[in-house]
Amino acid sequence: MGSIYGKIFQISTFGESHGAAVGVVVQGCPAGISFDLAFIQAELDRRKPGQSRITTQRKEADSIEVVSGVFEGKTTGTPIAMLVWNGDQRSKDYSHIADQFRPSHADYTYFAKYGLRDYRGGGRSSARETVARVAAGALAKLVLSQLGVKITAYVSQVGTLKLSTPVEQLDLSVTETNAVRCPDPVMADQMFHYIDEIRKQGDSVGGVVSAYITGCPVGLGEPVFDKLHAELGKAMLSINAVKGFEYGSGFDGVEKKGSEHNDVIVKEADGRVRTLTNHSGGIQGGISNGEPIYFRVGFKPVATIMQDQDSINEKGDKITVSGKGRHDPCVVPRAVPIVEAMAAIVILDFYLRNRVIQMPS
């Protein structure tokens, strides 16, 4: 069950980094949705490797194939299967670690749990699996766009370089105009050169992806354990290399008094209920309140570095692991569409839960 997510809009991903293909089966997508294959491909293109010199140089077309669930350009309401064939595999790059445990990878834990592991790029633990999530998330975005919901993510931090401008003051339309996917061109340039310097050192660096969701209706989320922010947190923490999640004021909120942090509720002339501030991040009591939802996702430095590191092998002998292969020095630029995809899957799943619950008998 570890490869299945969602209750109504449900995805099941499959495939390994160096297997034949990676893909996803989506169940619960409403019938009659216009299936924009070009849009889904464009979302995959944002995630694919080889985009610039600060990303892995593995060359994958990541061309999406739709196997079922679509007829004459519309979803049929039946399971939708999509897959991407792997192409530029260099499994020999990993032969030297066939019996070695790489520091901060899933090598040891997979071996301890299953008694074997696919050492070629990490197999199922590889971020290559997120191809499937982006495809499913793009489909969710197509549905949500018809409901007026918009999800935008961007890089807000790389290492110690932090974008401090509030999201409301950023021009998010320029996020895709640079390789880092930071909506501040000056900061984006600094981040790019910093990542490139880290790459030249054979090292890696972490960062933060921020997300901003508008157009969500009031009422998404369920008490008590299926709170909207809890599901968003679970979805984000399931992404490779994610080490932290916070929404709204997050950890900074602990520095405020209640009188400073509370979001005062008002009723506008048109009858709409609003809050004067949004420290809650658009979610109160685990349920959306109609305000923009915003959150931040922290990614660790990529575990594979081009430097020798101490470790052990499967026999427990001390060894030296040498970094080889093609890897991102910083994952966050390519993680932006993954964060958006998982957010879209969560929001659509909750929207459909409400729709089912509220359907007349």
Side-chain angles (χ1 to χ4, degrees):
M1 296 296 290
S3 295
I4 299 173
Y5 181 79
K7 297 233 176 142
I8 296 181
F9 187 85
Q10 187 179 81
I11 71 169
S12 177
T13 71
F14 62 88
E16 293 81 34
S17 176
H18 285 240
V22 291
V24 63
V25 177
V26 180
Q27 299 195 74
C29 182
I33 301 297
S34 294
F35 191 86
D36 188 343
L37 185 61
F39 174 76
I40 293 176
Q41 185 61 61
E43 291 293 281
L44 287 172
D45 290 345
R46 296 171 65 209
R47 194 224 70 96
K48 74 179 182 180
Q51 296 181 41
S52 72
R53 69 172 184 263
I54 62 168
T55 64
T56 172
Q57 293 307 295
R58 178 172 175 171
K59 299 296 182 182
E60 293 285 357
D62 282 356
S63 297
I64 190 73
E65 290 188 21
V66 182
V67 180
S68 67
V70 178
F71 180 68
E72 295 185 342
K74 300 280 188 180
T75 58
T76 62
T78 59
I80 299 170
M82 297 180 282
L83 63 83
V84 168
W85 296 99
N86 288 329
D88 187 21
Q89 302 154 303
R90 296 183 187 174
S91 299
K92 67 180 186 302
D93 287 347
Y94 299 92
S95 59
H96 68 292
I97 59 159
D99 67 342
Q100 299 178 355
F101 299 138
R102 296 168 295 173
S104 289
H105 276 274
D107 296 345
Y108 169 70
T109 52
Y110 266 58
F111 184 78
K113 180 178 177 66
Y114 299 109
L116 72 164
R117 64 186 176 91
D118 185 345
Y119 60 84
R120 303 166 304 165
R124 187 68 178 151
S125 69
S126 168
R128 182 84 184 131
E129 179 268 344
T130 60
V131 169
R133 304 184 191 213
V134 172
L139 177 59
K141 276 186 171 186
L142 287 174
V143 182
L144 290 172
S145 66
Q146 299 183 30
L147 303 172
V149 179
K150 184 175 182 180
I151 300 171
T152 306
Y154 59 94
V155 173
S156 57
Q157 185 173 346
V158 170
T160 58
L161 296 174
K162 186 176 182 179
L163 185 61
S164 58
T165 308
V167 63
E168 296 84 2
Q169 298 176 24
L170 292 170
D171 181 2
L172 298 183
S173 67
V174 303
T175 299
E176 294 293 320
T177 62
N178 59 77
V180 181
R181 293 197 167 92
C182 174
D184 182 315
V186 175
M187 179 58 76
D189 187 62
Q190 294 179 33
M191 289 176 172
F192 182 91
H193 287 96
Y194 180 59
I195 296 171
D196 197 33
E197 182 59 34
I198 292 293
R199 177 188 65 83
K200 292 174 183 177
Q201 295 171 12
D203 217 328
S204 64
V205 66
V208 174
V209 173
S210 295
Y212 192 65
I213 307 174
T214 59
C216 280
V218 179
L220 300 185
E222 305 288 343
V224 166
F225 298 111
D226 284 355
K227 291 181 171 68
L228 178 54
H229 61 268
E231 284 299 315
L232 283 170
K234 177 181 179 180
M236 298 307 143
L237 289 165
S238 74
I239 299 171
N240 307 66
V242 170
K243 303 298 284 186
F245 169 83
E246 61 175 0
Y247 76 102
S249 61
F251 286 98
D252 290 341
V254 305
E255 301 176 3
K256 296 181 179 294
K257 301 174 186 175
S259 57
E260 298 171 318
H261 190 271
N262 287 347
D263 295 320
V264 174
I265 304 172
V266 297
K267 188 173 184 179
E268 297 186 335
D270 61 1
R272 184 182 178 188
V273 175
R274 297 288 309 275
T275 58
L276 296 181
T277 53
N278 191 20
H279 300 302
S280 300
I283 304 170
Q284 293 172 323
I287 298 172
S288 61
N289 66 1
E291 297 296 321
I293 296 170
Y294 64 96
F295 58 86
R296 291 161 295 282
V297 186
F299 289 79
K300 71 175 182 177
V302 175
T304 298
I305 58 176
M306 299 299 108
Q307 299 179 14
D308 289 348
Q309 300 177 87
D310 292 334
S311 188
I312 63 171
N313 60 21
E314 293 177 0
K315 296 179 181 179
D317 301 325
K318 185 176 179 179
I319 50 93
T320 298
V321 176
S322 299
K324 294 181 181 179
R326 299 158 294 174
H327 306 276
D328 295 88
C330 181
V331 74
V332 290
R334 293 176 58 217
V336 167
I338 305 170
V339 168
E340 290 181 0
M342 291 307 297
I345 290 166
V346 171
I347 297 298
L348 179 57
D349 191 43
F350 272 118
Y351 187 94
L352 292 175
R353 290 198 219 181
N354 274 14
R355 179 182 174 187
V356 171
I357 291 170
Q358 296 172 2
M359 284 179 64
S361 57

